[in-house]
Amino acid sequence: MRRAHTSTPKLHTFMRKAGFRIATLSMPVLMLASLSGCEDDFLERMPLDTISDVSFWKTQEQLELAVNGCYAGLKGKNFHDMENLADNTIYPPRSDYQAISSGNFDFTVGTVNTEWTTQYEGIRRCNHFLENFKKAQGISQEKLNQYEGEVRFMRAFHYSYLSFFFGDVQLVTNTLNIGDAEISGKRAPREEVVDFILNELEEAAKLLPTSYGSNDLGRITKGAALGWKARVALFYGRYDVAEVAAKAVMDLGIYQLYSNGDPATSYQELFTDKGKLAAGKNKETILARLYLQDVTMHNMSREVQVPDQTSRFSPTQSLVDAYLSSDGLPIEQSPLYSEDSYEAIFQNRDPRMTQTILAPGAEWGGKDDGDKDNQPNSTFSLPKFNADKKGCVTGTGYYFTKYVDLAAVGTYNKDDNDIHLLRYAEVLLTYAEARLEQGKLTQQDLDMTVNMLRDRVGMVHMDLGTLAANGLDVRTELRRERRVELAREGQRYFDILRWNQGHLLAQDVKGVKKSLIPDYNQAYVASIPTDEEGHLIINTGRRFDEGRNYLWPIPLEQLQRNPNLGQNSGW
């Protein structure tokens, strides 16, 4: 049974109007699409065939429609799909994300061009709004400030991804039309683009409110602008800026880590319907893509534990090994860790592991697993490798449970839990890392950041003295903390890039030890090679060219339209 949700008529209307399905190059066309979800009396007052810049930018309702249209570019599930770009997950069949992750792609890959065009479509919408919104009459300055802040955030959001992926990009702050000289212009240096992004986010933060009423859940806030500024600054090694922005979010005093009082379930529950902003308990999520039952939904749960196919998100052995033992030591150092059985791998580990990766004994929606009876079960015991369409097949020997709503696994595109794009947990991690990279990290910093995350799940604290006593590197452990806290949230790829650890993407993707698979399932993995320790090698032939792969190539289609763009080094 699907759960009831806290909602309001206005929130429902916002979800319809900002349904995030609009993607057009023309603002008048955007307005036509947005208006299709409005009340009949408004449509009667503004005939669809007469909408233009002259007649549109008049009322608050019209401005809100335009702002909601700019939200179309806010990433949702596709943000988390990017997890397959890195080394936390893999979808064994070939895909664009796997090709990019493995380094085996070029400038003709569809995803590369899609990211380019999607971001610039969004930028055009934002530019058009910012050129016209002040024409409206009878609107309070407070509301105009809010709208401007939301749209300036979205423009910075789009430029963030362009710069992350492509480096130097065209910096366009006005609406371009066919024939404009700027269309065939050159790219601006990456540093100039980053300066623009950070300034836009700072200005947006000044304009935005710290929070909204329940009718406007999901709208961009001051905390979102500052938090995104911290993320961008951290990516580009501007640690002083990242520290200040992250601390500013912390000092707002309105965010706190989600908890239901139970360390064994709090972390996992955040990513279910109970953690929706509309449910009223979540004060951790700073920015989310909201979904609403029967209005706008996604397919995350089914893709993770799809009952008759291969999971689209199989955890890698690399991710499994990243979780510390419950004594706070890496598995290679801890006496608590054992590989005597598949079940033993999950025992005595950081509690976030079993709230992220499916452990034996947990409920699941994948029907038949890898046990001997060949019958559907609601409780998971062993991984399934037999592709007989009776249960969910794993690519690596592991499954995720994070972001899985069991009630939605057996359906198609019926998930309505929020997709969290920016959490307070990330802000805390950003603050700690920024302090570390400036040589300022103290135990007090850890206690107010990392150890708050650990307290939520009942994990032993990170202690600088203990790390030193065990020969553990603080930077390595902070990066590990970020990996496990944000696993399955689409950030690992960007972390690898900013840490200059591209070599990790060149390593073989591995899975469970073949020896832990029961004899009656060995036939299904017999042809899969293993490494020297007996781990399944799921994907090989990967590469990462240090001279080129930290950036994506400029898409062929864009080069054909504008040769002045030039190509990134090595492509």
Side-chain angles (χ1 to χ4, degrees), residues 351-402:
R352 284 171 293 189
M353 179 178 176
T354 56
Q355 295 183 59
T356 303
I357 300 173
L358 191 71
E363 290 183 288
W364 85 317
K367 293 188 176 180
D368 184 37
D369 64 1
D371 63 6
K372 199 169 186 177
D373 63 19
N374 201 30
Q375 297 295 321
N377 17 14
S378 59
T379 301
F380 172 72
S381 59
L382 289 166
K384 182 179 179 64
F385 293 94
N386 179 13
D388 58 4
K389 297 188 179 297
K390 293 183 178 181
C392 186
V393 176
T394 172
T396 61
Y398 303 103
Y399 303 87
F400 282 106
T401 189
K402 183 176 176 178

Side-chain angles (χ1 to χ4, degrees), residues 441-448 451 461-466:
L441 184 73
T442 66
Q443 185 61 48
Q444 183 179 5
D445 293 329
L446 290 179
D447 290 341
M448 62 189 283
N451 289 332
H461 279 192
M462 180 183 288
D463 179 80
L464 291 174
T466 302

Side-chain angles (χ1 to χ4, degrees), residues 5 77 144 150 168 173 209 229 260 265 298 483-484 535 566:
H5 305 290
K77 178 182 170 294
L144 286 175
E150 289 176 276
D168 300 350
T173 57
K229 181 181 179 181
N260 63 11
T265 61
H298 57 84
R483 183 180 190 181
V484 301
H535 291 282

Side-chain angles (χ1 to χ4, degrees), residues 28 31 38 55 57 106 147 152 156 164 189 191 216 221 283 288 305 390 408 435 450 453 462 477 485 499 505 570:
M31 292 305 109
C38 302
S55 60
W57 304 95
D106 60 21
Y147 290 157
R152 291 182 75 167
F164 291 164
E191 286 300 302
D216 284 313
T221 61
K283 295 182 180 180
Q305 295 183 12
K390 293 183 178 181
R435 296 276 293 176
V450 171
L453 304 180
M462 180 183 288
E477 295 311 306
E485 175 67 30
W499 290 332
L505 300 180

Side-chain angles (χ1 to χ4, degrees), residues 224-416:
L226 292 170
W228 202 264
K229 181 181 179 181
R231 180 185 292 186
V232 173
L234 193 71
F235 185 93
Y236 288 109
R238 301 189 184 188
Y239 299 117
D240 56 337
V241 177
E243 177 192 348
V244 171
K247 190 62 165 59
V249 177
M250 296 161 69
D251 288 344
L252 288 175
I254 61 175
Y255 300 108
Q256 61 187 48
L257 298 179
Y258 180 91
S259 177
N260 63 11
D262 180 4
T265 61
S266 288
Y267 176 78
Q268 184 179 359
E269 185 176 281
L270 173 61
F271 305 96
T272 69
D273 283 352
K274 292 181 180 179
K276 287 173 68 72
L277 289 176
K281 293 170 52 180
N282 180 1
K283 295 182 180 180
E284 176 172 351
T285 297
I286 301 172
L287 180 66
R289 174 77 171 266
L290 302 189
Y291 291 84
L292 192 63
Q293 189 173 351
D294 300 325
V295 176
T296 176
M297 296 178 286
H298 57 84
N299 200 41
M300 180 83 80
S301 295
R302 182 172 179 82
E303 292 182 17
V304 174
Q305 295 183 12
V306 56
D308 58 353
Q309 298 173 38
T310 299
S311 173
R312 273 54 167 175
F313 300 92
S314 292
T316 63
Q317 189 66 47
S318 174
L319 175 60
V320 171
D321 290 347
Y323 290 89
L324 296 170
S325 292
S326 57
D327 56 7
L329 296 176
I331 59 173
E332 58 269 20
Q333 291 183 233
S334 174
L336 300 179
Y337 179 68
S338 169
E339 288 185 350
D340 289 344
S341 66
Y342 182 80
E343 185 176 12
I345 293 174
F346 296 85
Q347 296 171 349
N348 302 314
R349 305 292 292 275
D350 181 332
R352 284 171 293 189
M353 179 178 176
T354 56
Q355 295 183 59
T356 303
I357 300 173
L358 191 71
E363 290 183 288
W364 85 317
K367 293 188 176 180
D368 184 37
D369 64 1
D371 63 6
K372 199 169 186 177
D373 63 19
N374 201 30
Q375 297 295 321
N377 17 14
S378 59
T379 301
F380 172 72
S381 59
L382 289 166
K384 182 179 179 64
F385 293 94
N386 179 13
D388 58 4
K389 297 188 179 297
K390 293 183 178 181
C392 186
V393 176
T394 172
T396 61
Y398 303 103
Y399 303 87
F400 282 106
T401 189
K402 183 176 176 178
Y403 262 120
V404 173
D405 178 351
L406 293 177
V409 172
T411 64
Y412 174 74
N413 212 37
K414 292 295 184 180
D415 265 320
D416 62 341

Side-chain angles (χ1 to χ4, degrees), residues 121-189:
E121 286 170 5
I123 289 166
R124 190 181 196 280
R125 285 194 294 271
C126 294
N127 286 342
H128 197 214
F129 176 90
L130 294 169
E131 289 172 351
N132 289 280
F133 79 103
K134 291 183 180 179
K135 296 176 182 177
Q137 302 294 319
I139 304 175
S140 70
Q141 189 61 49
E142 181 181 24
K143 185 58 69 172
L144 286 175
N145 288 346
Q146 174 199 318
Y147 290 157
E148 181 182 357
E150 289 176 276
V151 175
R152 291 182 75 167
F153 173 93
M154 283 305 307
R155 184 164 64 176
F157 179 89
H158 292 300
Y159 271 117
S160 298
Y161 281 101
L162 284 171
S163 69
F164 291 164
F165 288 133
F166 301 105
D168 300 350
V169 294
Q170 288 172 291
L171 186 55
V172 182
T173 57
N174 59 295
T175 305
L176 300 182
N177 294 296
I178 295 174
D180 289 348
E182 294 94 332
I183 290 178
S184 58
K186 296 182 179 180
R187 293 186 283 159

